[in-house]
């Protein structure tokens, strides 16, 4: 972590008169630039080798961790490597494979349904258009933007729970509806930044700016945060709250990118 948090609250934005929109936009863009320095390796934290795997993994990630999905999908994709294979599977066998992700019956219905749609309507290929993706069973805008941004290079903002929490803490928006949050944030940043902005914000939310006890005293952008002090401000105590590679712990991917500075996550059932 080195000098994480060394700039601290002494350089935080002064409170007083309301922040203008121009000042907020400038601060938001500076946060994005500084997060890019902190997380130059930010990436999607789901293991995948092709658009179909990313689509299925993202659907499975609802109400669970990316780690648990990554530990579950190797066996799933070994048994059903293509949409055609998964569409014609025995539902009970799929349920057993994805049971660790929770809500396995509903998720089985979704991933088998989307696989059948890919087989029947798209020649077994994942479409690269938003309107086609959101028409698939179990696929909403968040899932669609994950796939578009990371499998097709189409810019998109992924509004998950971490993203929603942080952009509200940073006072970029007061909206609570994901679609409205997406629209407001899209108006702050150039389209070319949308996908990587999403990764950086989500990385920060998972590692430092936690829901219950944000590690304010170890936060590298504390000087830009209007919510500084909601969490632990003591630097030593805050560092103990850090997660994943910032705490010297494994990440969520079993097969992380080559530039990831932490260690891979263990396979399902692995010890040590």
């Amino acid at each position: 972590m080195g000098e994480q948090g060394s700039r601290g609250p002494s350089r935080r934005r002064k409170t007083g008169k309301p922040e203008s929109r121009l000042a907020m936009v400038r601060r938001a863009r500076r946060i994005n630039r500084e997060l890019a320095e902190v997380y130059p390796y930010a990436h999607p934290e789901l293991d995948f080798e092709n658009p179909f795997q990313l689509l299925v993994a993202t659907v499975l990630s609802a109400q669970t961790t990316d780690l648990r999905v990554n530990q579950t999908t190797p066996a799933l994709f070994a048994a059903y490597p293509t949409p055609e294979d998964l569409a014609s599977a025995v539902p009970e066998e799929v349920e057993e494979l994805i049971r660790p992700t929770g809500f396995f019956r509903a998720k089985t219905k979704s991933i088998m349904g989307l696989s059948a749609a890919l087989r029947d309507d798209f020649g077994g290929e994942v479409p690269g258009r938003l309107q086609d993706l959101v028409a698939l069973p179990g696929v909403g805008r968040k899932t669609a933007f994950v796939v578009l941004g990371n499998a097709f290079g189409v810019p998109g903002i992924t509004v998950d729970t971490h993203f929603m929490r942080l952009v509200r803490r940073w006072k970029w928006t007061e909206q609570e509806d994901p679609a409205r949050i997406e629209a407001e944030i899209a108006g702050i940043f150039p389209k070319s930044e949308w996908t990587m902005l999403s990764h950086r914000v989500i990385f920060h939310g998972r590692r430092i700016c936690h829901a219950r006890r944000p590690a304010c005293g170890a936060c590298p952008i504390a000087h830009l945060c209007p919510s500084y002090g909601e969490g632990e401000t003591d630097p030593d105590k805050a560092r103990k709250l850090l997660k994943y590679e910032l705490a010297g712990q494994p990440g969520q991917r079993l097969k992380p990118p080559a530039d990831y500075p932490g260690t891979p996550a263990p396979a399902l059932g692995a010890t040590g």
Side-chain angles (χ1 to χ4, degrees):
M1 287 294 292
E3 299 180 6
Q4 298 256 342
S6 61
R7 288 174 286 187
S10 63
R11 289 181 57 190
R12 280 188 297 128
R13 186 173 59 85
K14 302 290 185 182
T15 57
K17 64 179 182 179
E19 184 179 37
S20 69
R21 174 169 173 80
L22 177 60
M24 181 275 289
V25 169
R26 287 175 173 170
R27 179 172 58 83
R29 293 183 176 185
R30 185 175 174 189
I31 287 175
N32 182 42
R33 291 194 301 271
E34 296 198 12
L35 289 180
E37 295 178 3
V38 177
Y39 308 111
Y41 50 86
H43 60 270
E45 294 194 86
L46 290 167
D47 287 326
F48 69 98
E49 296 178 355
N50 54 56
F52 174 62
Q53 289 188 359
L54 179 58
L55 176 59
V56 170
T58 306
V59 171
L60 293 180
S61 70
Q63 303 299 315
T64 191
T65 64
D66 286 358
L67 171 59
R68 184 49 57 93
V69 174
N70 292 337
Q71 292 173 324
T72 302
T73 50
L76 178 70
F77 295 140
Y80 311 109
T82 69
E84 293 83 356
D85 294 324
L86 188 51
S88 60
V90 177
E92 290 76 14
E93 294 178 358
V94 177
E95 289 176 353
E96 194 58 33
L97 284 172
I98 70 169
R99 182 182 292 269
T101 69
F103 303 96
F104 56 90
R105 292 190 179 89
K107 290 179 180 180
T108 292
K109 184 176 180 181
S110 291
I111 64 175
M112 290 189 65
L114 70 84
S115 295
L118 294 178
R119 177 195 63 195
D120 298 339
D121 302 330
F122 297 99
E125 300 292 333
V126 175
R129 300 195 308 168
L130 176 64
Q131 58 265 45
D132 293 331
L133 286 168
V134 296
L136 298 172
V139 178
R141 289 179 69 86
K142 184 188 79 170
T143 295
F145 281 130
V146 170
V147 174
L148 289 172
N150 298 292
F152 294 100
V154 177
I157 295 173
T158 302
V159 184
D160 74 348
T161 56
H162 300 287
F163 193 94
M164 292 175 66
R165 179 175 74 253
L166 268 63
V167 298
R168 287 172 58 81
R169 276 182 178 165
W170 293 335
K171 312 301 182 186
W172 294 358
T173 180
E174 294 183 354
Q175 299 292 339
E176 296 184 1
D177 177 72
R180 292 182 177 180
I181 290 174
E182 177 194 322
E184 288 205 357
I185 303 306
I188 297 174
F189 297 92
K191 193 171 183 178
S192 61
E193 284 291 305
W194 289 355
T195 298
M196 288 308 302
L197 169 73
S198 300
H199 290 323
R200 293 165 191 150
V201 173
I202 293 169
F203 254 58
H204 193 65
R206 285 175 169 165
R207 287 151 177 78
I208 296 179
C209 197
H210 311 134
R212 293 188 179 180
R213 292 188 67 195
C216 294
C219 180
I221 58 166
H223 56 295
L224 297 170
C225 181
S227 298
Y228 176 87
E230 286 188 10
E232 179 58 64
T233 58
D234 180 84
D236 292 330
K237 293 180 180 178
R239 277 191 287 272
K240 295 178 181 178
L241 300 175
L242 301 179
K243 295 182 178 179
Y244 304 112
E245 76 282 356
L246 298 187
Q249 300 167 349
Q252 297 205 78
R253 294 188 68 165
L254 278 66
K255 298 179 179 179
D259 63 346
Y260 179 65
T263 56
L268 191 66
T271 58

